[in-house]
Amino acid sequence: MAEEAEKALAADGYLHNGKWNAAVGEAANRFAGQVDLASVVARSTGLEVEQPHNGVYTAYLEEGQFLDFHVDEFGFGEANLILYLKHERLAAARTVSCTVFIDADGYRECDLAPGDCVVFDGALTPHGRTPLGAGEHVILVSFGFRARDQAPRTVAHLPPVPL
């Protein structure tokens, strides 16, 4: 997938929201078909979801590039699974770029390596990325999942606001 992502980003990548994006291809779709990603999401969150209905390759390639805090459109899915494909950094780097979330306890930084993943609800959880350091490159794939039961996703059933 990392090789496919690099090719897709180089050929068809587009800047969106401060990061490079490209549609997933055969390798990502094959992976999603062979690995029961829905069960990974269910074990992590307790939310029963369908297999991913959408996915995108994302890259951060330039020093200082970051992703400001945001929430995703509900259409991307009730759960997101971000799988790191590549995270290159200089051994002597003073800082490392991380995926970061805002939750009831404050900020949570996730410094992930290739093969690591994180699962969250991108429509309800503000998330972003801290700035890349010199020589740092990050490539990941993000899959979106829909809940099997859509009823709890109405405004009347959203979780309480964190204090």
Side-chain angles (χ1 to χ4, degrees), residues 23 26 29 36 41-42 49 51 57 63 68 73 75 79 86 126 134-135 142-143 150-151 155:
E26 184 180 325
N29 289 325
D36 188 1
V41 171
V49 296
Q51 282 296 92
Y57 288 127
E63 181 178 357
D68 213 350
E73 295 179 19
K86 187 181 234 181
S142 180
F143 293 105
Q150 290 291 311
V155 173

Side-chain angles (χ1 to χ4, degrees), residues 115-128:
D116 289 344
C117 69
V118 63
V119 178
F120 63 100
D121 185 332
L124 297 177
T125 307
H127 57 284

Side-chain angles (χ1 to χ4, degrees), residues 49-122:
V49 296
E50 306 286 338
Q51 282 296 92
H53 71 280
N54 120 24
V56 64
Y57 288 127
T58 302
Y60 302 87
L61 305 172
E62 295 97 28
E63 181 178 357
Q65 192 174 17
F66 71 98
L67 179 60
D68 213 350
F69 283 109
H70 68 286
V71 291
D72 297 334
E73 295 179 19
F74 271 98
F76 192 79
E78 288 75 29
N80 300 39
L81 183 146
I82 295 177
L83 172 64
Y84 275 63
L85 303 176
K86 187 181 234 181
H87 191 171
E88 296 175 345
R89 53 184 137 193
L90 300 176
R94 289 183 291 146
T95 61
V96 175
S97 177
C98 298
T99 297
V100 63
F101 300 95
I102 299 175
D103 63 20
D105 296 323
Y107 297 100
R108 186 174 64 180
E109 293 182 346
C110 297
D111 178 14
L112 303 174
D116 289 344
C117 69
V118 63
V119 178
F120 63 100
D121 185 332

